[in-house]
Amino acid sequence: MPAVIQNDVPMRGKGVYGMNSGQQHSAMLNALPLISNSVAESWGKRSYADRPFTIVEYGCSDGKNSVEPVAAALRPLLHAKCVQIFLNDRPENDFAATSKNVEKIEENGEKDGIRAFTAMVPKNFYKQVLPPNSADVGFSLMSVHYVNTLPPLRAGEGALDASRRETKQEIWEKDFCSFLVLRASELVPGSSLVLSFLSNPPEGETNFEVVNESLRWAQQEMIREDILSQDFIRQFELPTHYPSPERVREKVTSVGDWEIKDLFQQEIKHPAVQELKERRAKRDDAKDLEWYANTVIDWFMAVISGYFLKTLLITHGEKLDEEQRERVLEDWKVRSKKRFLAEHKDAKVSTWLVFVRLQKH
């Protein structure tokens, strides 16, 4: 067994993630002022002209939710002749899907009279992504709560055990500090880094618990029918940690390269919550509740499907080929939707995020 398990699972490809990322889009909108302000500050005090103004996104996925942040970044760049934009994600990412959004990004620059040159960088952002002192503004939205590697589960330990959660917290804190050090080497002095990522909710609040309950219930039903094994349940996990705002502040301060300009926590409701409310104000149609269940489950599945399939390969690999694993995934998705519709119907689905704007010393 390997000493560490590499987090090499991308978001669902072929445009599926982008089509089901309404929640990420809503969260992204809250980061736009931070990005725009960061660019305006960096552009206003720029004292060199030996290279184009450079913007980098860490964790772009298929690029659908990159279009608006980059547009917000381009608007303050008055009289800029050209701008470099780097879209970064892991090598396993579906960059074919990302490339389809590059044209939209560059068209936004043209509207403001800016020639934008966009490049995709297939590299793990827990490594050096760009040369030293080569970028003016960086941002990463809904990505930094993922850890880079995890150790195998200990004997008798389950993925949901408290000991495992503690392990993931320790690893996330090290990875986050490493991320900040790497970005400090890539961005010029006085530049800004804007981050948003899932956070531990305030007391009494939860992150998408009604979705989690539906997924877990469906898994248990599949165990009873001998479709999934107990070993699958023991090993299935997301390589994530959701820190508190206080812990984020502590870790940023410990690195020493950054000054915190903005740091706040905010609840982001899934946009389907409001749309369902508006639909039901006009009519009483069961199809709207079905639409809501489909929407919120498909959103989560677009994020976690790869981890489900990877665990299924590890625990059922000899019994199931790739097509069969996809059918099991689809079965899980259908059961989860039925559970959500039966037990949660119009329950609020939301996530708590930390938003941070940092400035490099």
Side-chain angles (χ1 to χ4, degrees), residues 57 67 93 111 115 147 173 204 207 305 318 340 350 358:
E57 178 182 11
V67 176
N93 184 57
K111 292 176 184 177
R115 293 188 68 192
V147 300
E173 290 178 355
N207 274 325
S305 289
E318 295 181 359
F340 188 96
S350 66
L358 306 175

Side-chain angles (χ1 to χ4, degrees), residues 194-210:
V194 175
L195 308 174
S196 71
F197 45 90
L198 290 177
S199 172
N200 187 37
E203 186 175 352
E205 299 289 344
T206 61
N207 274 325
F208 42 81
E209 178 54 33
V210 289

Side-chain angles (χ1 to χ4, degrees), residues 8 19 26 51 77 113 141 171 196 198 200 203 253 282:
D8 55 2
M19 289 187 293
S26 293
R51 61 168 177 77
L77 296 176
L141 309 179
I171 292 172
S196 71
L198 290 177
N200 187 37
E203 186 175 352
T253 303
K282 298 176 181 177

